[in-house]
Each structure stands twice: as structure tokens, then as C-alpha cells.
Amino acid sequence: MSTATRTSVFISYSHADERWRKLVEKHLAPLGRDHSLRVWSDQNLKAGEPWLIRIRRELATARVGIMLVSHHFMASDFIHSDELPPLLLAAKQEGVTLLTVVVGHCHFTNSPLSKLQAFNKPDKPLEALTTPQRNKEMARLCALVMKIFGLKSGPAKPAVTLAAASKKEAAPARPKRLTTSTSKVAPAAEATTKPKVVAKPKVTAKTKADGAKPKVVTNPANKATTKPAPKPPSKTVPKTVKKAAPRAKK
């Protein structure tokens, strides 16, 4: 297997050095968030999972092995029989990088790891440093890991997870906020008025006698009123003027 197929960081440590594992993983956390770098330790084992098979699989896919060396590490039989041999073989045959971080004073010079260049000075382990000095060493460790994986400096854009994408698609669309100009209610359209129906004028006996039809007059307000037709002029019989009888001639 070439280093191109190895894409993770494997942390080998003793459970007695839990505090140092947490410190290393906390400093490497931004690389996992911003660059999708996977950092694995046995704390990632799930309940009921075959732990030995999983550890061997992670060892086979690790491009960088970080070993937290202390007297607890040196005394662990499992580390020296199951974790160190595959890591040392991968470093020799496949170019896997092994970083030995000395976290406590121990008999390091006679161990198989003494053939590898230690990340920090064995006579100045992390437990002998102040907090700012430890953070400085951890920052240097992160920079070295980035260089090994060819990661560029600066935060990368976090990838959108599948759960976040599905949640975004399922979310209902937010209604648009009405502005002052659009929030005004448009005036209702004026209702069309129907012309009033004017009742037909009643025909009285008087109009029948006059023999004329009533005249319908419409005023400007569209109201029909009935105006009786003017009476026809009555025919008057001229009075007969009696002529005076001619006087007899005297």
C-alpha cells in the first residue's frame, strides 16, 4: 500500500497518558474541521466493535503515526507487540512518517524508537514544560503534520454535511418581508353601480282625457321623473256680437 492510499493520523499511547492524548487531539482538531484530516485513536472505538480488527485497519491506513512516549508507553506490552511493529514496518517500506512525542521522562534511548529522530528533546518532555511552552510544541506539531499532508495554511471552507444539506432542503421557504411600499393595501375597486329602475308614471284619468302621453325627463343624477305633458289649449268659442239694427230713416 502506498502513502497515497494512507490518509489518516494514528495516535499510539497508553491510557495512563490520557491527558496528553487530549492535548494533541485538541491542537489537531482544526485540521480535521478545516481540511477534513482524520485523526484516529482508540477513543473512536464504538461499543461492541471488534477493537483489535479496527486498530489493525487504522494502522494500515495511517500516513502519520504519533506516539506519545512515556514510561507507561514503554511498559505497555500491547503497544510493543501490536502497534509498534506494523508502524515501524510501514515507515521502512512505505514511507510512513513516525513522530515520537516524548511526554514524560523515560528510558527512551534503549527502545526501538531511539533509531528514529524524536519530535522533541527526550530530556525535555512535555511534562517538564510550562503551558505556553507545551502549546508552542503542539503548534509546531500541527505545522509538521500539515506539511506532510501537503495542506495549505489558512482555514479552508468547511464541507457541508449531508445532514445539514437535507435539513436545508426540508426547511420551508421563509415568506418575503413586505416593505413599506408593498405592504400598503391596494384600494378596493369601486363597485359598479346599477342604474336605478324608475317606475313608469301612472296614467291618470286626467291624462287620458287630455289624450297625450306623459313625458319622461331624466335629470343629471340619472333619476327618471315623470312630468305631465302640458295641457292642450282649450278651444274657445268666440262670442257672437249682435249687430245693432239699422236705424229707420226718419
Side-chain angles (χ1 to χ4, degrees):
M1 182 180 293
S2 62
T3 55
T5 58
R6 293 177 172 268
T7 57
S8 62
V9 176
F10 184 92
I11 298 179
S12 177
Y13 73 105
S14 170
H15 287 179
D17 296 324
E18 182 73 12
R19 58 177 293 205
W20 304 117
R21 178 196 64 80
K22 291 181 179 180
L23 179 65
V24 172
E25 290 189 353
K26 184 175 292 185
H27 280 269
L28 292 176
L31 302 185
R33 181 190 63 231
D34 300 335
H35 302 280
S36 301
L37 180 64
R38 193 166 64 91
V39 179
W40 195 91
S41 68
D42 60 2
Q43 292 300 311
N44 298 103
L45 291 170
K46 298 178 182 179
E49 185 178 9
W51 59 271
L52 183 58
I53 297 176
R54 177 66 184 278
I55 288 176
R56 289 174 178 174
R57 185 167 69 246
E58 293 297 334
L59 286 169
T61 59
R63 188 172 181 179
V64 174
I66 298 178
M67 292 160 290
L68 306 182
V69 182
S70 68
H71 64 285
H72 300 294
F73 182 92
M74 301 297 293
S76 173
D77 293 333
F78 178 79
I79 291 176
H80 282 76
S81 62
D82 290 88
E83 292 185 355
L84 277 183
L87 285 175
L88 292 173
L89 183 62
K92 183 178 180 180
Q93 296 182 353
E94 302 179 39
V96 173
T97 303
L98 301 182
L99 302 177
T100 55
V101 181
V102 183
V103 299
H105 291 285
C106 59
H107 195 59
F108 178 75
T109 54
N110 291 332
S111 68
L113 296 176
S114 61
K115 298 178 182 180
L116 302 174
Q117 180 64 36
F119 171 77
N120 58 334
K121 295 180 180 180
D123 58 341
K124 291 183 179 181
L126 295 184
E127 67 178 5
L129 303 179
T130 62
T131 300
Q133 291 173 337
R134 292 170 190 165
N135 290 332
K136 185 177 180 180
E137 290 295 298
M138 291 297 99
R140 190 167 65 89
L141 178 66
C142 292
L144 182 56
V145 171
M146 289 184 65
K147 183 179 179 181
I148 295 171
F149 282 91
L151 303 177
K152 295 182 180 180
S153 301
K157 185 177 181 181
V160 179
T161 60
L162 183 60
S166 59
K167 184 178 180 181
K168 185 177 180 180
E169 292 177 359
R174 183 177 295 180
K176 294 183 179 179
R177 187 176 181 180
L178 297 178
T179 59
T180 307
S181 60
T182 58
S183 61
K184 293 182 179 179
V185 180
E190 296 182 358
T192 56
T193 56
K194 294 183 179 180
K196 294 182 178 180
V197 179
V198 181
K200 294 182 179 180
K202 294 182 180 180
V203 181
T204 60
K206 189 175 182 180
T207 56
K208 285 183 178 180
D210 294 338
K213 293 182 179 180
K215 186 178 181 181
V216 179
V217 181
T218 305
N219 60 5
N222 203 21
K223 292 182 179 180
T225 57
T226 305
K227 186 176 181 181
K231 295 180 180 180
S234 59
K235 296 179 180 180
T236 56
V237 178
K239 294 181 179 181
T240 305
V241 180
K242 294 181 179 181
K243 296 181 180 181
R247 293 178 181 183
K249 292 180 179 181
K250 290 180 178 182

